[in-house]
Amino acid sequence: EILGLKSYSSLLEVEEPIDLAVIVVPAEMVNKVVIEGIKKKISSFVIISSGLTPSAINILTIAEPISPR
């Protein structure tokens, strides 16, 4: 719980549908969280992170859609 609001350690723990995920994590965690979001069928993401390099942004420039497993 943060400031009286329920918090989750994974997007997959959220039971309700999510329209938009605002991701604020260190650069090395961005891919993991975005992949969780794709599995959760989230279609929109805002990513706030420092230290992202061009190779770290590959998940953001996927040429073909990723199907949830």
Side-chain angles (χ1 to χ4, degrees):
E1 191 172 298
I2 301 172
L3 298 174
L5 299 172
K6 187 170 184 176
S7 62
Y8 302 90
S9 60
S10 167
L11 289 172
L12 299 174
E13 293 177 5
V14 180
E15 295 176 12
E16 298 84 12
I18 301 172
D19 297 321
L20 170 68
V22 179
I23 300 170
V24 184
V25 295
E28 60 271 7
M29 295 180 66
V30 170
N31 286 354
K32 175 184 179 284
V33 177
V34 170
I35 289 169
E36 283 184 3
I38 291 168
K39 289 179 182 178
K40 182 74 178 159
K41 299 183 180 178
I42 300 170
S43 59
S44 300
F45 299 87
V46 174
I47 299 170
I48 302 169
S49 188
S50 64
L52 286 176
T53 62
S55 62
I57 300 175
N58 284 340
I59 190 72
L60 308 177
T61 57
I62 297 169
E64 50 189 89
I66 295 177
S67 300
R69 294 183 183 167

